Amino acid sequence: MRNPTLTIGLVLTILIGCTPKTQESVVEQPSDSQYRPAYHFTPESGWMNDPNGLVYYDGEYHLFYQYYPDSNVWGPMHWGHAVSTDLVQWEHLPIALYPDSLGYIFSGSAAIDWKNTTGFGTEENPAMVAMYTYHDPIGERNETVDFQYQGIAYSLDKGRTWTKYNGNPVIPNPWIRDFRDPKVSWNSETEEWNLILAVKDHVNLYTSPDLKEWTKESEFGADLGAHGGVWECPDLFKLTDQNGVAKWVMLVSINPGGPQGGSATQYFIGDFDGSVFTPMDSVIRWVDYGADNYAGVTFSDVPKEDGRRLFIGWMSNWQYAQIVPTYEWRSAMTIPRELVLQNTDVGYLLRSIPVIEMKSIFSEQTDLANVSGSSFKLEVDTDSEQGGITLYNEVGDSLSILFDENYLSINRENAGLVNFSEVFPAIHRAPLNGIVIISLDVYVDNSSVEVFVNNGDLVMTDLFFFTEPIS
């Protein structure tokens, strides 16, 4: 893997050809191994979607995720589980949570109960507590409305084994069909737990002293933000900008209704008093302008000495996630990103910066001719108003990343296998809204590209499936 730095001249498109790591003959159906990422997390087999329960504890980052081990399409949801010490290399662990008599285990979150408010652990051995949505498939088939409700479980051995709370559900359904995806966090200012929950076309905010008894405090979003589809997978956290001003950031995923027509994640910036979130404006902002970053949430309990707000998203789109041309496994996660709030000349931006740990993957050589394989990183510096990069192979597959003073775009119309979905072969555009492109960091990993403008001012993430490796 190589890491070239290039300077782009005016209206110049650089064609990047790379020598494959291994030579493979052309076959009608490419193997899964051709598309499996080298440095993105994927399940060993089966179906995966939303990241769940992102939490740091005792030297380990925990990635739980929506998982169906028995098929490569969505089914009865479990929580898969993996851990990492560096956010780069992940160790697969046994399934954490299985469906039970209350239903499938849908998306949720996890946190460390340091003060033992639940009584599940001790202050010497605090419980890791997961909060998740139960989805009752029988109730759904019977066309009832109240088939989603919230439950909790806890672990006293670093997430290796779990006990479900015998008082579940802790938040019954108030007769609302879409009532899911709890994100829980400890509020050190109010000394209580906060919870944000997706409820049809908005979010509800709750408080609790012990993660068991919850009080609804407020609602947000029914008349703000994008509303092309149901709201899902919310998150709420505080960030401080470069001037020391603290703001609260709310993430809300939406499906459909994203900037490329399908799944996407929007964000709001404002203030939160422990009960009510007050946005600073009504501007619709997107975490990622590509087609393939959805349901992303952030890690809880990252140590204060680290101080980062770390994010991972699901790298797919519900428009075609179940029919992409991989078979043993389906779906990957984005690379981990640090979210940074910055007050700029064009307003507040939630910048997404690849975590510094990613640098361990790539060498420092800058000779473009020696970029190898279909997994690599490119660093492109420019002082031009227009330019671009094209990835291609010997059989004519191509993917172009182009920009001018108004837009950044990814064109995957000719990116190999595209006809499995009517919407997959497309040109995706992101408005720059005053951002001047100075640099592009481009992460390519066999079947995905993640483009970071100016180290995170704007991001686009797209899948692609060349019929042969980049050559």
Side-chain angles (χ1 to χ4, degrees), residues 51-162:
N52 300 150
L54 303 184
V55 62
Y56 179 89
Y57 181 61
D58 196 18
E60 293 179 325
Y61 297 95
H62 291 259
L63 168 60
F64 301 93
Y65 52 91
Q66 291 287 276
Y67 184 48
Y68 184 39
D70 299 329
S71 177
N72 63 5
V73 296
W74 189 96
M77 285 291 98
H78 305 55
W79 270 25
H81 189 195
V83 294
S84 175
T85 60
D86 62 3
L87 293 167
V88 175
Q89 301 294 328
W90 293 93
E91 175 188 355
H92 292 277
L93 294 180
I95 292 170
L97 297 173
Y98 287 80
D100 59 37
S101 61
L102 291 178
Y104 302 160
I105 311 296
F106 271 21
S107 291
S109 55
I112 307 303
D113 185 14
W114 296 104
K115 295 181 180 292
N116 196 30
T117 63
T118 58
F120 293 152
T122 63
E123 292 195 11
E124 293 75 26
N125 185 28
M128 180 183 294
V129 181
M131 190 169 188
Y132 53 88
T133 295
Y134 272 116
H135 177 97
D136 175 17
I138 298 174
E140 182 182 26
R141 285 196 298 269
N142 291 338
E143 299 185 351
T144 64
V145 174
D146 59 341
F147 54 82
Q148 293 183 344
Y149 30 83
Q150 318 315 313
I152 58 176
Y154 64 94
S155 172
L156 299 176
D157 59 0
K158 298 180 64 174
R160 270 56 177 183
T161 61
W162 290 84

Side-chain angles (χ1 to χ4, degrees), residues 112-229:
I112 307 303
D113 185 14
W114 296 104
K115 295 181 180 292
N116 196 30
T117 63
T118 58
F120 293 152
T122 63
E123 292 195 11
E124 293 75 26
N125 185 28
M128 180 183 294
V129 181
M131 190 169 188
Y132 53 88
T133 295
Y134 272 116
H135 177 97
D136 175 17
I138 298 174
E140 182 182 26
R141 285 196 298 269
N142 291 338
E143 299 185 351
T144 64
V145 174
D146 59 341
F147 54 82
Q148 293 183 344
Y149 30 83
Q150 318 315 313
I152 58 176
Y154 64 94
S155 172
L156 299 176
D157 59 0
K158 298 180 64 174
R160 270 56 177 183
T161 61
W162 290 84
T163 301
K164 292 171 181 171
Y165 175 50
N166 59 15
N168 284 333
V170 294
I171 304 181
N173 188 294
W175 207 249
I176 297 173
R177 179 179 176 85
D178 297 301
F179 187 72
R180 57 178 179 265
D181 308 341
K183 180 62 190 289
V184 66
S185 60
W186 176 255
N187 190 324
S188 59
E189 297 176 4
T190 61
E191 289 289 308
E192 61 187 352
W193 294 99
N194 288 138
L195 171 66
I196 184 170
L197 185 72
V199 183
K200 196 167 63 173
D201 63 349
H202 63 279
V203 296
N204 287 356
L205 297 164
Y206 298 79
T207 58
S208 172
D210 60 4
L211 293 172
K212 301 172 185 177
E213 300 292 331
W214 291 92
T215 300
K216 180 183 172 183
E217 299 288 349
S218 63
E219 300 182 4
F220 170 79
D223 57 353
L224 286 173
H227 283 277

Side-chain angles (χ1 to χ4, degrees), residues 7-30:
T7 300
I8 302 181
L10 183 62
V11 201
L12 176 64
T13 298
I14 296 176
L15 301 180
I16 299 174
C18 307
T19 304
K21 293 179 183 177
T22 58
Q23 298 294 331
E24 297 184 50
S25 60
V26 178
V27 292
E28 290 186 9
Q29 178 56 63

